[in-house]
């Protein structure tokens, strides 16, 4: 009886946010050891595909630009290795996105960083080209132009060796230098974030010490990739695991946000002068249990940046967000987006369906899922009057018809599990003969970019 009491108490500690976000839509459910996904236009068709890492690197094509994804397409699969990190960037200057990745071997100390050329700009990739095999256990790879020579270099965080290193793109075509050490001063760094912290038009680095309990940054001193010693932002954290940079107070510079797992803190630090001097820690919430994930974006289209994270405790998991109520001083309590997830490993926000708001994506390790949750734009009264639209009859049997005062681009129908069961591009009469009896949710996408949702019942 005791576990049941705990579950009820924990479940109701989060505000429900189902009106803001739609049901879970599964992109893939066989992604083993998945720790992160990215939204990038792999095939150059103008919409956001999904790039995943895990026991293999793969991508999922956004087939219609609105979040209908195709089957997994494997890019790299190495026996007895798994990809701990992947990033997309143009390394050879041909205008399409190549890949850089880190692969960990079966045994400790076996780790490499390599890149794959996008051969045709459509998602067909060449073989792995090794950059460095002298790494211990790296978990983060990022790409930016660290030396201002107009090509993309590579940053790697090697956790077990306490190292941050970068590799210069020597010729703009993907020939890389050997390791250039930025720091060995962090204690068990796992991730990093790259951004111009001091507004001097070059790329700095923010990272953390998981065992050393600090958040720190490294200044790019001359725009040529020569970095300062670590500059401490905060030591008021216990086991920080993620950092992020965004303008939380809307004053035109980048602040720093962190999550730390042992003290359950999601907090931010103001860039007080726009040049990398940071104020004291400001708590966003301590109510998210074991928050291992972090992303910052304006989720409610009100002009300020909100917090996206996840919880995990005793087998129970969920994705939550905290609304920024007044440009950083006050945040709402965590609101639940979904609990249909087991051990979330990453969350991010991106406009998957091109409707001018940010949807949410997640990966989860114990159920092997990549999934997304549509941000349902809430229409004001004047907007509702403009969109007199309805699918009928409701309840329905073998077909649905549409009555609308506005032009509709497409109609998606989801079942109660959030699975897409019907997609119609010519919304006049929709055949529903193959749908089982039950509850469904229709998303009506209009030509002008707005969205209307309708609940349906099939007899």
């Amino acid at each position: 009886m005791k576990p049941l009491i705990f579950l009820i108490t924990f479940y109701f500690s989060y505000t429900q946010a189902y009106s803001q976000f739609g049901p879970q839509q599964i992109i893939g459910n066989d992604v083993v050891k998945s720790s992160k996904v990215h939204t990038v236009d792999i095939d150059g068709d103008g919409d956001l595909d999904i790039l995943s890492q895990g026991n293999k690197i793969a991508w999922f094509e956004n087939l219609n630009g609105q979040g209908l994804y195709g089957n997994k397409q494997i890019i790299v699969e190495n026996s007895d290795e798994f990809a701990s990190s992947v990033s997309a960037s143009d390394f050879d200057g041909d205008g399409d996105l190549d890949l850089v990745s880190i692969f960990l071997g079966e045994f400790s100390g076996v780790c490499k960083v390599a890149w794959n050329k996008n051969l045709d700009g459509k998602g067909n990739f060449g073989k792995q080209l090794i950059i460095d095999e002298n790494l211990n256990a790296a978990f983060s790879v990022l790409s930016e132009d660290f030396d201002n020579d107009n090509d993309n270099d590579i940053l790697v965080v090697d956790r077990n060796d306490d190292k941050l290193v970068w590799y210069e793109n020597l010729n703009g075509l993907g020939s890389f230098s050997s390791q250039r050490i930025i720091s060995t001063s962090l204690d068990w760094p796992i991730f990093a974030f790259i951004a111009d912290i001091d507004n001097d038009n070059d790329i700095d680095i923010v990272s953390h010490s998981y065992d050393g309990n600090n958040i720190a940054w490294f200044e790019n001193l001359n725009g040529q990739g020569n970095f300062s010693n670590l500059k401490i932002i905060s030591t008021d954290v216990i086991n920080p695991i993620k950092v992020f940079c965004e303008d939380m107070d809307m004053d035109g510079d980048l602040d720093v946000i962190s999550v730390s797992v042992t003290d359950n803190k999601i907090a931010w630090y103001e860039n007080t002068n726009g040049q990398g001097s940071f104020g004291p820690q400001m708590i966003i919430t301590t109510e998210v249990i074991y928050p291992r994930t972090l992303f910052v974006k304006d989720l409610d289209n009100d002009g300020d940046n909100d917090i996206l994270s996840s919880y995990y405790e005793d087998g129970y998991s969920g994705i939550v967000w905290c609304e920024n109520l007044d440009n950083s001083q006050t945040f709402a309590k965590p609101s639940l987006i979904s609990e249909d997830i087991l051990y979330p490993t990453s969350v991010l926000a991106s406009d998957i369906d091109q409707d001018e708001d940010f949807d949410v994506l997640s990966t989860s390790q114990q159920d092997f899922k990549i999934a997304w949750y549509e941000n349902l734009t809430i229409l004001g009264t004047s907007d509702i009057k403009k969109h007199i639209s309805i699918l009928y009859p409701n309840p329905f049997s073998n077909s649905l018809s549409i009555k609308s005062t506005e032009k509709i681009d497409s109609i998606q129908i989801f079942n109660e599990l959030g699975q897409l069961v019907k997609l119609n591009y010519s919304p006049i009469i929709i055949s529903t003969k193959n749908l089982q009896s039950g509850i469904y949710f229709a998303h009506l996408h209009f030509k002008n970019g707005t969205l209307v949702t309708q609940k349906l019942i099939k007899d």
Side-chain angles (χ1 to χ4, degrees):
M1 193 66 182
K2 189 174 180 181
L4 177 60
I5 294 172
F6 171 78
L7 171 60
I8 294 174
T9 302
F10 182 70
Y11 178 85
F12 284 106
S13 65
Y14 299 106
T15 304
Q16 304 297 301
Y18 296 121
S19 60
Q20 173 82 17
F21 294 93
Q24 183 182 84
Q25 301 181 51
I26 295 174
I27 297 169
N29 56 9
D30 62 345
V31 185
V32 179
K33 294 185 179 180
S34 177
S35 57
K36 195 172 182 180
V37 290
H38 309 263
T39 54
V40 290
D41 187 6
I42 293 290
D43 51 2
D45 63 352
D47 55 33
L48 292 173
D49 309 302
I50 301 296
L51 177 64
S52 71
Q53 63 196 50
N55 66 332
K56 51 181 71 77
I57 296 174
W59 72 288
F60 300 80
E61 182 182 357
N62 194 336
L63 297 174
N64 63 350
Q66 297 178 0
L68 175 64
Y69 284 93
N71 294 327
K72 177 170 61 178
Q73 301 183 54
I74 296 173
I75 300 170
V76 183
E77 183 177 15
N78 294 335
S79 178
D80 299 325
E81 294 182 336
F82 81 95
S84 61
S85 185
V86 65
S87 183
S89 193
D90 183 5
F91 294 118
D92 52 5
D94 62 353
D96 56 33
L97 291 175
D98 310 302
L99 301 182
V100 61
S101 60
I102 295 171
F103 271 83
L104 297 178
E106 184 179 4
F107 303 103
S108 177
V110 178
C111 180
K112 68 184 179 185
V113 57
W115 76 284
N116 297 77
K117 178 179 172 58
N118 192 334
L119 298 174
D120 55 4
K122 297 181 180 180
N124 295 304
F125 290 88
K127 65 179 182 180
Q128 277 193 317
L129 302 171
I130 303 298
I131 297 170
D132 189 2
E133 294 181 290
N134 296 312
L135 297 167
N136 194 329
F139 283 86
S140 185
V141 62
L142 301 167
S143 177
E144 253 295 357
D145 185 4
F146 293 111
D147 53 1
N148 282 325
D149 62 351
N150 297 315
D151 55 32
N152 289 310
D153 311 301
I154 291 169
L155 171 72
V156 169
V157 181
D158 191 346
R159 184 193 67 183
N160 287 18
D161 279 346
D162 299 331
K163 279 199 304 189
L164 272 64
V165 301
W166 75 286
Y167 305 86
E168 183 185 355
N169 192 337
L170 296 172
N171 59 358
L173 299 174
S175 295
F176 290 93
S177 69
S178 57
Q179 283 188 20
R180 298 186 176 179
I181 296 176
I182 297 169
S183 174
T184 57
S185 300
L186 295 173
D187 188 359
W188 203 258
I190 306 173
F191 297 104
F193 198 97
I194 48 181
D196 185 5
I197 295 297
D198 52 1
N199 283 313
D200 63 351
N201 298 313
D202 55 31
I203 300 300
D204 311 301
I205 300 166
V206 179
S207 191
H208 64 97
S209 294
Y210 181 86
D211 284 346
N213 298 327
N214 63 53
I215 311 294
W217 74 287
F218 301 87
E219 182 185 355
N220 192 336
L221 295 172
N222 59 358
Q224 300 295 310
N226 296 308
F227 289 89
S228 69
N229 295 327
L230 87 167
K231 299 184 176 187
I232 296 293
I233 297 172
S234 178
T235 58
D236 193 16
V237 287
I238 304 176
N239 300 133
I241 196 167
K242 290 282 175 67
V243 290
F244 206 98
C245 297
E246 190 54 90
D247 187 0
M248 298 303 295
D249 50 4
M250 310 309 291
D251 64 350
D253 55 36
L254 291 174
D255 309 302
V256 171
I257 309 95
S258 68
V259 293
S260 40
V261 295
T262 302
D263 53 11
N264 296 328
K265 278 185 185 177
I266 303 178
W268 76 283
Y269 314 87
E270 182 185 357
N271 191 340
T272 56
N273 63 354
Q275 297 178 6
S277 295
F278 289 91
Q281 182 184 81
M282 290 183 277
I283 301 295
I284 295 170
T285 183
T286 57
E287 296 182 22
V288 180
I289 307 301
Y290 200 64
R292 298 181 69 251
T293 64
L294 176 65
F295 205 87
V296 183
K297 210 72 174 177
D298 183 5
L299 296 175
D300 52 1
N301 282 335
D302 64 350
D304 54 32
N305 289 303
D306 310 300
I307 302 296
L308 182 63
S309 189
S310 62
Y311 68 84
Y312 177 81
E313 186 176 21
D314 292 340
Y316 303 111
S317 307
I319 302 168
V320 297
W321 73 288
C322 297
E323 181 184 356
N324 189 340
L325 298 175
D326 58 2
N327 289 349
S328 75
Q329 300 304 314
T330 307
F331 287 84
K333 288 181 175 293
S335 294
L336 183 65
I337 295 173
S338 177
E339 58 181 354
D340 189 17
I341 190 170
L342 293 176
Y343 198 76
T345 51
S346 74
V347 293
L348 67 90
S350 189
D351 189 4
I352 293 297
D353 50 5
Q354 302 185 89
D355 63 351
E356 299 183 0
D357 55 31
F358 292 107
D359 310 298
V360 171
L361 291 96
S362 66
T363 59
S364 41
Q365 197 168 81
Q366 293 182 4
D367 54 8
F368 314 120
K369 278 184 190 176
I370 298 173
W372 75 286
Y373 314 82
E374 183 175 0
N375 193 336
L376 304 176
T377 303
I378 301 173
L379 300 177
T381 303
S382 60
D383 293 322
I384 293 172
K385 290 178 180 177
K386 293 177 184 177
H387 297 282
I388 303 174
S389 306
I390 188 171
L391 289 168
Y392 68 96
N394 191 17
F396 64 95
S397 295
N398 295 325
S399 66
L400 282 165
S401 298
I402 177 70
K403 180 187 293 185
S404 178
T405 59
E406 295 288 326
K407 291 183 178 180
I408 293 177
D409 186 51
S410 65
I411 297 174
Q412 297 170 302
I413 298 178
F414 299 89
N415 62 19
E416 287 186 281
L417 298 176
Q419 298 167 326
L420 182 68
V421 295
K422 200 76 178 177
L423 176 65
N424 196 288
Y425 288 104
S426 301
I428 300 173
I429 297 177
I430 303 172
S431 175
T432 56
K433 291 180 180 179
N434 295 329
L435 298 184
Q436 298 178 351
S437 298
I439 297 173
Y440 295 85
F441 298 90
H443 293 181
L444 284 69
H445 296 269
F446 290 85
K447 294 285 188 181
N448 62 7
T450 57
L451 169 73
V452 169
T453 301
Q454 182 180 349
K455 183 177 179 180
L456 302 167
I457 300 174
K458 180 168 184 182
D459 290 331

